């Protein structure tokens, strides 16, 4: 470390490294895992995050959150969990955070990692083959990091939700992130609860309330409703792993074949019928969430009222307290009712556009404005491989402005992400050693025994080139139809082209 000086009074710490990763969530930890496979023990990685530990959004998301998928499938690279639970177990928040600690320790065995938690990247620029990052700490210190390469792993920028702003003084407005449904505050009350939202957080919240307080009035205002992938069908338990269920890669392949960029309603109906579970009368949204049939049944049986509308406010008038909905209708509710903000976290805040790789190839950016896969975790894993293999400039990966598409068509978003993932995986498969595909522990196919997986992988390797033209056509159609960024980086903007 050396000391520079921004002014006579402000000492600026200066650090040098071979790679700086900004973001220590599952994306950044996957980037670290991959980088550690290419770097030598004497090289140095700086891992920087404004949160005060690794884990990303898992650090401050609501306490009763659990993984959607069986725990072994949420990891960095091929790092195994040390939990010792049944393979179908859904890890709790604390267990997920403990696994982050473990992954960090594993990476540290291969490369030097200097964590800077409580530090935020404010800006960066490239000069003379070096990336200079300007960073500030939560207690006001300044630091410049000079890195040969930078991976920005900010993901979807998930932050805890505040309670909804409500006019009524006779309701209690909370969010799951500031009020644990199983905590003393909720337990000491017996008034009705109105959950606002229809996604996974709403389901977790309903499930927590219904199972903790049998008989309590729990209601759901579910917007246009949603469906979930059925966990039982995606991940059949016990011996059924050998003969039932379908590999996720097979489902994605079929989804890619069916979606043509215009027929999202038809594809949603197929997916919902074949693999879905749901409890709302309409299912206008699908956000890749996973729910078990038993959770679905418990929630459906325990809910008092399900309203398909959007809450705008709750107001006190003429001695009553009314929920006011976007449609203009109202619903009188009991004074003292709880209103729980479960309106979601993903793609809610505007993030600036950045290409997934800078012109020089030294900066990789993983965020939804230039998505290359359906989940940021996959992007962290595959883009880092391509970075270290010097392939990022060669391969015409499609990037999708997922935030723009969400604004224009929530309905088309998940299927476009599916086509994008399969298109880019096809290009990547042709450019990396097979081991890169096999070591991706995020791959939900890993649920199945090796022989079934090998059949799936072989089928993918034999057919993916044939599928690519249709996938590209679908993505081009989405671009034209919605007038959004969806295509390869412009020639000249990519590395080495
Ligand atoms: C409630 C909820 C439940 C979910 N459950 C699952 C699940 O079960 N399974 C699943 O696969 N996915 C789940 N997801 C999706 C989830 O967001 C991702 O899987 C994943 O955890 C996101 O990881 P990430 O690393 O991309 O982003 P994050 O976890 O958000 O991590 C990004 C990190 O970057 C840091 N950062 C960003 N910008 C800067 C900066 N300028 N300076 C310093 N640090 C910065 C942030 O502080 C943050 O810690 C869930 C999402 C939500 C909202």
């Amino acid at each position: 470390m050396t000391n520079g000086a921004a002014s006579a009074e402000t000492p600026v710490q200066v650090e040098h490294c071979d790679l700086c990763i900004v973001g220590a969530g599952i994306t950044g930890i996957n980037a670290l895992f991959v980088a550690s496979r290419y770097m030598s023990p004497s090289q140095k990685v700086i891992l920087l995050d404004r949160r005060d530990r690794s884990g990303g959004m898992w650090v401050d998301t609501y306490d009763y959150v659990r993984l959607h998928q069986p725990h072994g499938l949420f990891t960095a690279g091929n790092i195994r969990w040390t939990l010792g639970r049944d393979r179908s177990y859904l890890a709790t928040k604390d267990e997920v955070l403990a696994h982050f600690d473990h992954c960090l320790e594993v990476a540290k065995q291969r490369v030097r990692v200097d964590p800077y938690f409580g530090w935020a990247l404010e800006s960066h620029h490239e000069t003379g083959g070096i990336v200079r990052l300007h960073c500030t700490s939560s207690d006001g210190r300044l630091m410049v990091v000079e890195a040969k390469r930078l991976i920005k792993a900010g993901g979807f920028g998930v932050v805890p939700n505040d309670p909804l702003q409500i006019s009524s003084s006779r309701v209690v407005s909370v969010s799951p992130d500031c009020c644990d449904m199983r905590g003393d505050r909720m337990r000491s009350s017996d008034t009705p609860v109105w959950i606002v939202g229809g996604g996974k957080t709403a389901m977790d919240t309903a499930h927590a309330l219904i199972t903790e307080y049998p008989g309590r009035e729990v209601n759901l205002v579910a917007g246009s409703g949603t469906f979930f992938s059925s966990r039982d069908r995606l991940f059949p338990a016990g011996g059924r792993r050998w003969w039932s269920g379908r590999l996720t890669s097979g489902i994605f392949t079929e989804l890619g074949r069916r979606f043509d960029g215009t027929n999202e309603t038809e594809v949603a109906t197929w997916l919902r019928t074949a693999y879905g579970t749901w409890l709302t009368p309409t299912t206008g949204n699908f956000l890749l969430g996973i729910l078990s049939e038993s959770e679905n049944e418990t929630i459906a049986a325990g809910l008092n009222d399900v309203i398909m509308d959007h809450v705008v406010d709750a107001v006190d008038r003429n001695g009553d307290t009314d929920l006011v909905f976007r449609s203009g209708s109202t619903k009188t509710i009991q004074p003292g009712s709880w209103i729980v903000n479960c309106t979601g976290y993903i793609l809610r805040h505007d993030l600036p556009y950045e290409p997934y790789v800078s012109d020089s190839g030294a900066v990789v950016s993983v965020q939804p404005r230039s998505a290359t896969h359906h989940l940021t975790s996959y992007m962290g894993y595959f883009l880092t491989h391509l970075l270290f293999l010097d392939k990022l400039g060669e391969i015409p990966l499609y990037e999708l402005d997922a935030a723009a598409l969400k604004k224009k068509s929530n309905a088309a978003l998940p299927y476009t992400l599916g086509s994008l993932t399969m298109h880019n995986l096809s290009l990547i498969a042709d450019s990396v050693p097979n081991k890169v595909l096999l070591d991706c522990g995020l791959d939900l196919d890993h649920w199945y025994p090796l022989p079934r997986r090998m059949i799936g992988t072989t089928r993918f390797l034999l057919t993916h080139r044939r599928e690519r033209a249709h996938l590209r056509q679908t993505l081009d159609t989405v671009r034209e139809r919605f007038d959004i960024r969806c295509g390869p980086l412009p020639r000249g903007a990519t590395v080495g082209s």
Side-chain angles (χ1 to χ4, degrees):
M1 179 191 120
T2 54
N3 277 322
S7 71
E9 300 84 44
T10 322
V12 181
Q13 178 181 342
V14 180
E15 295 289 342
H16 303 268
C17 62
D18 298 279
L19 171 68
C20 182
I21 300 174
V22 177
I26 195 70
T27 301
I29 295 293
N30 266 282
L32 177 62
F33 168 88
V34 173
S36 75
R37 264 46 196 171
Y38 293 92
M39 297 173 76
S40 65
S42 60
Q43 290 184 298
K44 178 171 138 187
V45 181
I46 285 183
L47 177 65
L48 191 134
D49 199 301
R50 62 159 64 93
R51 286 180 165 100
D52 60 10
R53 55 151 298 149
S54 64
M57 52 143 273
W58 292 89
V59 174
D60 42 28
T61 304
Y62 53 97
D63 285 336
Y64 50 92
V65 68
R66 294 183 90 110
L67 277 176
H68 290 218
Q69 66 268 59
H71 63 284
L73 305 172
F74 187 82
T75 192
N78 61 8
I79 299 176
R80 288 179 181 279
W81 280 63
T82 51
L83 198 55
R85 303 289 298 245
D86 181 82
R87 64 166 59 237
S88 56
Y89 178 73
L90 307 176
T92 62
K93 170 177 168 162
D94 286 345
E95 290 162 346
V96 170
L97 289 175
H99 185 61
F100 272 97
D101 290 336
H102 174 61
C103 291
L104 194 46
E105 287 313 309
V106 171
K108 281 180 178 172
Q109 286 162 18
R110 297 187 79 130
V111 71
R112 177 174 163 194
V113 184
D114 287 4
Y116 282 81
F117 295 134
W119 284 86
L121 168 66
E122 303 297 346
S123 64
H124 73 276
H125 65 276
E126 295 185 54
T127 170
I130 292 289
V131 192
R132 278 177 70 87
L133 295 80
H134 293 265
C135 311
T136 52
S137 71
S138 47
D139 57 4
R141 284 171 292 143
L142 305 176
M143 175 169 67
V144 167
V145 176
E146 293 190 343
K148 291 186 184 140
R149 286 166 159 161
L150 165 64
I151 298 176
K152 296 173 75 181
F156 289 100
V158 170
V159 287
N161 271 337
D162 291 328
L164 293 173
Q165 295 280 339
I166 296 289
S167 306
S168 167
S169 56
R170 293 201 291 238
V171 297
V172 192
S173 183
V174 296
S175 103
D177 302 315
C178 64
C179 176
D180 188 338
M181 295 302 120
R182 307 154 311 169
D184 293 344
R185 213 173 147 212
M186 183 58 84
R187 194 174 298 280
S188 62
S189 151
D190 61 1
T191 49
V193 183
W194 289 85
I195 298 167
V196 183
K200 185 60 170 33
T201 304
M203 296 304 125
D204 285 350
T205 300
H207 195 266
L209 289 163
I210 289 164
T211 51
E212 284 285 320
Y213 317 111
R216 180 138 182 199
E217 185 185 321
V218 180
N219 309 287
L220 184 70
V221 183
S224 53
T226 188
F227 69 96
F228 301 90
S229 297
S230 161
R231 191 174 295 119
D232 311 70
R233 288 191 227 181
L234 291 193
F235 310 111
R240 290 190 299 122
R241 282 193 312 127
W242 286 89
W243 71 84
S244 82
R246 184 168 180 194
L247 272 67
T248 309
S249 58
I251 300 175
F252 265 65
T253 300
E254 185 163 356
L255 197 149
R257 280 183 199 142
R258 285 174 180 261
F259 185 49
D260 65 8
T262 66
N263 59 346
E264 57 274 6
T265 310
E266 197 183 296
V267 179
T269 305
W270 162 74
L271 190 68
R272 194 183 73 165
T273 308
Y275 301 104
T277 185
W278 68 97
L279 55 86
T280 48
T282 59
T283 55
N285 285 314
F286 172 58
L287 288 170
L288 306 171
I290 305 174
L291 196 69
S292 70
E293 305 284 352
S294 71
E295 284 167 316
N296 197 50
E297 281 161 24
T298 303
I299 298 164
L303 284 175
N304 186 67
D305 201 355
V306 177
I307 295 179
M308 303 308 295
D309 211 329
H310 299 81
V311 167
V312 177
D313 200 0
V315 294
D316 301 327
R317 54 188 169 203
N318 307 326
D320 284 336
T321 300
D322 288 346
L323 277 181
V324 181
F325 300 108
R326 191 189 286 169
S327 66
S329 66
T330 59
K331 168 93 186 171
T332 300
I333 60 172
Q334 186 179 319
S337 290
W338 294 71
I339 296 180
V340 189
N341 179 9
C342 299
T343 54
Y345 301 84
I346 305 275
L347 296 175
R348 295 179 71 87
H349 308 285
D350 284 336
L351 295 168
Y353 167 74
E354 240 182 345
Y356 66 83
V357 59
S358 69
D359 284 358
S360 71
V363 180
V364 166
S365 178
V366 177
Q367 34 73 34
R369 298 296 307 275
S370 52
T372 54
H373 293 76
H374 61 309
L375 288 174
T376 48
S377 47
Y378 278 67
M379 298 181 220
Y381 179 83
F382 285 112
L383 294 182
T384 307
H385 271 294
L386 296 177
L387 175 71
F388 278 90
L389 290 167
D390 276 330
K391 301 266 186 177
L392 270 173
E394 276 173 28
I395 311 178
L397 295 181
Y398 266 47
E399 63 168 18
L400 169 73
D401 188 338
L405 181 57
K406 181 171 166 52
K407 282 187 188 141
K408 297 209 171 166
S409 174
N410 218 2
L413 179 62
Y415 313 109
T416 307
L417 286 170
S419 296
L420 176 79
T421 300
M422 294 313 288
H423 175 267
N424 286 342
L425 264 185
S426 167
L427 291 170
I428 292 169
D430 274 349
S431 306
V432 300
N434 280 353
K435 188 169 163 44
V436 168
L437 299 181
L438 298 175
D439 279 354
C440 180
L442 299 160
D443 179 357
L444 301 184
D445 282 3
H446 281 240
W447 174 253
Y448 290 95
L450 189 62
R452 284 192 77 180
R453 257 167 51 210
M454 294 317 289
I455 294 169
T457 306
T458 307
R459 192 176 294 135
F460 170 76
L461 290 174
L462 289 175
T463 59
H464 71 92
R465 288 184 204 94
R466 283 207 295 277
E467 314 278 356
R468 206 186 289 162
H470 168 71
L471 294 166
R472 196 163 46 232
Q473 177 66 49
T474 299
L475 295 168
D476 291 344
T477 302
V478 168
R479 179 183 60 241
E480 300 301 321
R481 184 177 162 211
F482 296 111
D483 190 23
I484 52 159
R485 183 180 301 103
C486 179
L489 288 171
R491 282 181 77 76
T494 49
V495 196
S497 60

